[in-house]
Amino acid sequence: MECGLLIVSNEKTFLTDSITGRLCDAGIRCNSCEPSVSSIEEKKDDGDIIFLYADDIISDMTDVLVYIKDICLDDARTLYLTGYSGALKKIDEIIPSDIVKKSFVRPIDIKDIVAEILSEAHEISKRSGMKKILLVDDDVIFLKTIRKWLCDRYQITIVKSGIQAIKYIASHKPDLILMDYDMPITTGSDVLKML
């Protein structure tokens, strides 16, 4: 199965080790990192699925939560959360519930998490055969609307600027690019010249 999981956690725990072991046995690439923007930035391309293990210090992690939210929106990553209800409520203030695939309130059954992630990995593997479209526009509402229209038939990635498009194209090969011609700073015309 061509799918990766990135576990974001303060420390290795029995829960994260059990999830990692079972998913690796099922053929999922598993990686982990600490909850910091730099650590997640370094390993974000390893995970089609992000699993955030939330603990009591979640209130000090606003920048990390915003970064995870942006990755999930921009790179179409699937997000799962686990933690006690108080921590999950704090996350809900920063990451809208429509971005979170599922939250697991502790105490949890590891089998449920593994089954859910395996099911999502199967869906991701099916989508990996789809044609890839890169949407580039500075209008976020427009991007979300187009993504909603096309996501059933195509694998959609959205970026909000010409510079983000160039960075994305440097490491990915979309089949089609739909781009706004008139964007601030780096216009669609500038991106085409760079390509």
Side-chain angles (χ1 to χ4, degrees):
M1 193 175 300
E2 283 297 315
C3 187
L5 172 73
L6 178 61
I7 297 178
V8 180
S9 176
N10 261 334
E11 58 190 41
K12 285 191 165 218
T13 65
F14 173 76
L15 174 73
T16 59
D17 286 345
S18 294
I19 291 170
T20 300
R22 292 178 187 203
L23 292 173
C24 285
D25 290 345
I28 306 291
R29 291 184 329 271
C30 295
N31 209 333
S32 62
C33 69
E34 63 183 36
S36 72
V37 172
S38 60
S39 293
I40 297 168
E41 171 70 28
E42 182 180 309
K43 295 190 177 183
K44 72 177 182 170
D45 292 331
D46 295 342
D48 304 292
I49 300 170
I50 298 174
F51 182 85
L52 176 60
Y53 180 86
D55 55 20
D56 295 334
I57 65 159
I58 202 72
S59 58
D60 300 335
M61 297 176 29
T62 302
D63 57 335
V64 170
L65 296 175
V66 168
Y67 187 67
I68 290 172
K69 175 187 77 167
D70 290 345
I71 291 171
C72 292
L73 284 173
D74 296 344
D75 298 339
R77 303 284 201 252
T78 303
L79 178 62
Y80 289 101
L81 305 174
T82 190
Y84 292 108
S85 59
L88 294 176
K89 285 179 185 172
K90 289 178 184 174
I91 292 172
D92 194 39
E93 294 170 7
I94 298 168
I95 301 177
S97 59
D98 62 330
I99 293 174
V100 178
K101 180 77 174 190
K102 189 167 184 178
S103 294
F104 297 93
V105 180
R106 293 183 67 197
I108 47 105
D109 185 347
I110 293 173
K111 291 177 191 173
D112 291 342
I113 293 176
V114 170
E116 177 71 29
I117 292 174
L118 284 174
S119 174
E120 180 64 16
H122 180 69
E123 289 300 314
I124 289 170
S125 291
K126 283 194 325 191
R127 286 193 308 257
S128 68
M130 300 168 107
K131 296 286 186 183
K132 297 168 182 63
I133 298 177
L134 174 63
L135 300 176
V136 186
D137 200 312
D138 57 320
D139 183 345
V140 176
I141 294 171
F142 178 76
L143 288 171
K144 288 180 181 178
T145 302
I146 298 298
R147 173 190 266 167
K148 190 173 187 176
W149 289 346
L150 299 174
C151 69
D152 291 338
R153 297 184 63 200
Y154 303 98
Q155 188 176 345
I156 306 295
T157 300
I158 62 173
V159 296
K160 297 176 261 185
S161 72
I163 294 298
Q164 287 179 335
I166 293 297
K167 288 179 182 176
Y168 178 83
I169 294 166
S171 59
H172 300 84
K173 188 175 181 182
D175 297 295
L176 177 67
I177 301 171
L178 297 175
M179 181 168 33
D180 183 6
Y181 193 77
D182 187 28
M183 292 182 290
I185 303 171
T186 306
T187 66
S189 175
D190 296 336
V191 173
L192 290 174
K193 288 175 189 172
M194 287 184 225
L195 289 177

